[in-house]
């Protein structure tokens, strides 16, 4: 059974940083597509960033360009989301998800959360102005 455990959320002031962790068990961690999504109150779930652990390729939308990075530690079966220069609009519950490989690439994976069969519980990120 694939399980994901996200952690690292919290309250931070605008301009601050947080690092989220997603520990994955029960999967072929070194051959998977793992992503971070977020959902703010009243909004749809949004893809934030993802990584293909097979070759390390990554994809992210313009909204997080230059601020968010994703990395993976195969030995720890953990994916990290480093978030810098946070803004109030980044406030959301952040979820990690696995198993979302798409024949159309990482951008497609991130565009369609339903591609991901495995999800962790969310972790709340709140950015104060």
């Amino acid at each position: 059974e694939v399980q994901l455990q996200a952690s690292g959320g919290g309250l931070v002031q605008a301009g601050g940083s947080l690092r989220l962790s997603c520990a994955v068990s029960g999967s072929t961690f070194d051959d998977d597509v793992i992503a971070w999504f977020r959902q703010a109150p009243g909004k749809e779930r949004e893809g934030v960033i993802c990584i293909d652990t097979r070759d390390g390729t990554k994809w992210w939308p313009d909204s997080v360009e230059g601020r968010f990075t994703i990395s993976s530690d195969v030995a720890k079966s953990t994916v990290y989301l480093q978030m810098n220069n946070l803004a109030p609009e980044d406030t959301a519950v952040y979820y990690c998800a696995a198993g979302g490989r798409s024949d159309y690439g990482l951008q497609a994976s991130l565009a369609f959360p339903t591609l991901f069969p495995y999800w962790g519980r969310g972790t709340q990120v709140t950015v104060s102005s």
Side-chain angles (χ1 to χ4, degrees):
E1 179 185 4
V2 179
Q3 294 185 331
L4 294 86
Q5 180 66 50
S7 60
L11 173 64
V12 64
Q13 289 188 333
S17 298
L18 279 175
R19 189 177 81 155
L20 306 184
S21 299
C22 177
V24 184
S25 62
S27 78
T28 308
F29 182 85
D30 59 354
D31 186 9
D32 200 354
V33 171
I34 300 173
W36 288 95
F37 294 85
R38 66 185 180 187
Q39 189 164 19
K43 294 188 177 181
E44 292 187 355
R45 192 162 294 190
E46 172 191 19
V48 175
I49 197 166
C50 63
I51 185 169
D52 187 335
T53 60
R54 177 191 295 172
D55 57 11
T57 55
K58 307 166 187 178
W59 195 88
W60 57 87
D62 290 343
S63 59
V64 303
E65 171 72 33
R67 301 190 303 124
F68 290 11
T69 57
I70 190 170
S71 61
S72 65
D73 185 332
V74 174
K76 296 182 178 180
S77 295
T78 300
V79 169
Y80 302 98
L81 171 60
Q82 178 67 44
M83 304 185 293
N84 299 325
N85 194 21
L86 283 160
E89 51 265 36
D90 294 315
T91 294
V93 177
Y94 283 70
Y95 300 88
C96 59
R101 186 175 300 285
S102 168
D103 291 340
Y104 300 98
L106 294 181
Q107 183 173 357
S109 292
L110 208 57
F112 298 101
T114 54
L115 286 174
F116 290 81
Y118 309 111
W119 291 79
R121 286 186 174 182
T123 184
Q124 176 71 46
V125 172
T126 302
V127 185
S128 63
S129 57

